[in-house]
Amino acid sequence: MTLDEASSTLSPLPDILSHGLVAVSTFGLLSFFCSTSLFLYLTYRLISWHVRAEIKSPPNQFLLLIYNLLLADIQQAIAFLLNISSLRNNGIIVGTPTCWAQGWFVSTGDLASSVFICAIAGHTFASVIKEYRLPAGAFYCSIGGAWIFVYAMGALGPLMYGDDFYVRASAWCWINEAYSIERLWLHYFWIFLAMFLTIVIYVGVFIFLHTAPHSSTAHKHRTELVHHGATPLMILYPLIYTVCTAPLAAGRIFAIAGHDVPLGFFVAAGTMIACNGWLDVLLYASTRSDIVFSENPPGENTGLETFAFLGKGGRNLGTVTTIEAGLPERSRSFSGSFRSRFGGGGGSNGSQEALYGMGEIGVKGEVTVTVDEGPMTPVGRDGRQVRNLQSRGSERSLEDGKSFRSGKGYDTWG
């Protein structure tokens, strides 16, 4: 097949590409370095956890989805990193292994990144709202099916059209402009579908949590969402992906429709999509650090309690109760302090009561009880929920329906 001018070798590079591809290559290199570093770190962790574990159990599903997203980001970063070859040769040389490889990695990297970002959105919805996770076997089959789909979409074109499929496409190598229908149905249709589903899912999660009845589980999750700073995450996850991916996808669709798109637009859009890798690393490493950087194998608890936004530590929600007891100077030299922690907290209030001794032990102490109110059931040190908290004394109701228990206690010693 004879290539037209838009798909043929371009040498020397025009100024817009000789300067613009530097930015595309630089951010591609940054994304490659960040994605590869975290991917290798997680590989080491997964292997070491498996070797040390006495009882073998499936890894955390959310962690595996991030792991596969990093693999997709690596391939996407390689695609834009290969523009270094064009800068070195001062031209985009069609028919070379580098050009074909770049076209392949653009197709598979972009699509795989979109597929796994959408998969993470779906998993978040299922685990947070429905409290459901796929069985391990079905989960692994889903991941395998996703990669088969991605590589099938990338391989169909070359199998049908040979070496003329991946050639120059404006600013770098990709699918031949003559195959505009294949561009749409083998690539951009699925990217736009994944983008649409990702936005709908996160918006749906956000709306569902904020409109749920007070008595429902979703209302409890809404309180967790606010406490952990996770509200911005409902916006950041789809926003970063859409901002990085949509410009290039829209430009290609605009070109498929028969319009001329300037090289400067492709350079700017290529720079943005080349940032996908390092932004994904920054986003997931900073917001899901409890899973990504866990010293021990993380459990399957991947709800909102693992969110930590920009350094705001994710803590289990519930009630913090601090009880401090002190003795006056005239009493026997004895002091005690008891602290019971049931999770995270919110506002606080205090209560003081005097303790008087019994018999010959004339001990008078002061007890300060500080209660940090929270919406969830208390959690003990072993991580289990404490169903009932009982103490001697009286109980009075607070305005918000929670209860506060207090009482007098006595210690005697001989």
Side-chain angles (χ1 to χ4, degrees):
M1 176 182 178
T2 303
L3 301 176
D4 56 20
E5 183 180 354
S7 302
S8 302
T9 296
L10 178 64
S11 183
L13 292 175
D15 289 341
I16 185 65
L17 291 184
S18 61
H19 294 91
L21 290 182
V22 173
V24 177
S25 302
T26 300
F27 283 106
L29 178 62
L30 178 61
S31 291
F32 177 79
F33 174 77
C34 293
S35 301
T36 302
S37 298
L38 187 55
F39 181 82
L40 293 177
Y41 171 80
L42 292 180
T43 300
Y44 164 74
R45 282 296 187 189
L46 289 169
I47 293 175
S48 62
W49 289 336
H50 181 76
V51 170
R52 296 200 316 262
E54 296 181 0
I55 301 177
K56 308 301 181 184
S57 59
N60 179 280
Q61 292 185 1
F62 190 89
L63 181 65
L64 288 182
L65 288 174
I66 295 178
Y67 187 75
N68 282 272
L69 175 61
L70 292 172
L71 183 57
D73 286 340
I74 290 172
Q75 296 176 65
Q76 186 182 59
I78 289 174
F80 296 102
L81 181 61
L82 288 174
N83 284 310
I84 293 177
S85 176
S86 299
L87 293 171
R88 185 179 69 249
N89 298 325
N90 193 27
I92 303 173
I93 313 301
V94 176
T96 61
T98 301
C99 183
W100 195 95
Q102 185 176 43
W104 169 264
F105 282 120
V106 169
S107 289
T108 56
D110 289 356
L111 184 56
S113 180
S114 298
V115 166
F116 282 103
I117 285 178
C118 184
I120 289 173
H123 185 272
T124 300
F125 176 85
S127 60
V128 172
I129 304 302
K130 299 298 184 181
E131 298 184 355
Y132 171 78
R133 297 175 186 87
L134 285 174
F139 178 75
Y140 295 143
C141 288
S142 299
I143 290 181
W147 282 114
I148 291 174
F149 169 75
V150 167
Y151 289 132
M153 293 295 103
L156 278 176
L159 290 175
M160 295 170 59
Y161 302 106
D163 294 336
D164 292 335
F165 191 72
Y166 290 133
V167 295
R168 183 172 74 87
S170 299
W172 49 77
C173 292
W174 188 51
I175 298 175
N176 195 325
E177 285 190 358
Y179 306 129
S180 59
I181 299 301
E182 287 75 9
R183 282 185 173 188
L184 177 62
W185 292 106
L186 295 181
H187 194 75
Y188 278 118
F189 171 80
W190 304 107
I191 286 182
F192 278 114
L193 179 62
M195 189 183 304
F196 173 77
L197 291 176
T198 299
I199 294 174
V200 168
I201 289 171
Y202 280 118
V203 170
V205 170
F206 187 84
I207 293 175
F208 185 79
L209 291 175
H210 282 71
T211 58
H214 286 258
S215 60
S216 67
T217 303
H219 178 70
K220 177 189 71 174
H221 286 321
R222 177 176 67 189
T223 309
E224 298 177 27
L225 187 99
V226 174
H227 177 80
H228 287 273
T231 300
L233 302 184
M234 296 295 106
I235 303 172
L236 276 181
Y237 283 118
L239 179 63
I240 290 178
Y241 165 63
T242 302
V243 168
C244 289
T245 306
L248 182 58
R252 293 295 188 187
I253 295 297
F254 196 68
I256 289 175
H259 303 284
D260 291 329
V261 181
L263 291 176
F265 175 85
F266 283 113
V267 167
T271 301
M272 295 174 69
I273 199 171
C275 293
N276 249 339
W278 69 267
L279 285 176
D280 281 344
V281 170
L282 178 64
L283 182 63
Y284 288 102
S286 62
T287 62
R288 307 309 291 270
S289 58
D290 286 355
I291 293 177
V292 174
F293 296 112
S294 175
E295 290 293 331
N296 299 310
E300 280 304 322
N301 190 9
T302 56
L304 292 174
E305 67 279 357
T306 61
F307 279 95
F309 181 59
L310 298 181
K312 182 174 182 179
R315 300 186 303 172
N316 287 333
L317 298 177
T319 303
V320 173
T321 303
T322 303
I323 303 176
E324 296 178 351
L327 298 176
E329 293 182 358
R330 65 179 177 83
S331 65
R332 185 172 178 174
S333 177
F334 175 86
S335 63
S337 175
F338 174 77
R339 180 181 295 265
S340 174
R341 185 180 185 86
F342 295 106
S348 65
N349 53 50
S351 173
Q352 294 185 348
E353 289 189 4
L355 297 183
Y356 295 93
M358 297 177 61
E360 296 180 356
I361 308 299
V363 179
K364 180 179 179 180
E366 186 179 59
V367 176
T368 300
V369 180
T370 302
V371 178
D372 286 351
E373 297 172 3
M376 288 183 64
T377 305
V379 179
R381 291 188 177 182
D382 60 355
R384 298 180 179 177
Q385 291 186 346
V386 179
R387 299 289 180 182
N388 297 296
L389 180 62
Q390 297 181 349
S391 64
R392 297 178 59 188
S394 62
E395 176 178 343
R396 61 183 177 87
S397 298
L398 299 179
E399 292 181 359
D400 59 357
K402 299 180 180 64
S403 63
F404 174 82
R405 297 175 182 265
S406 64
K408 295 182 179 181
Y410 302 90
D411 286 330
T412 62
W413 60 87

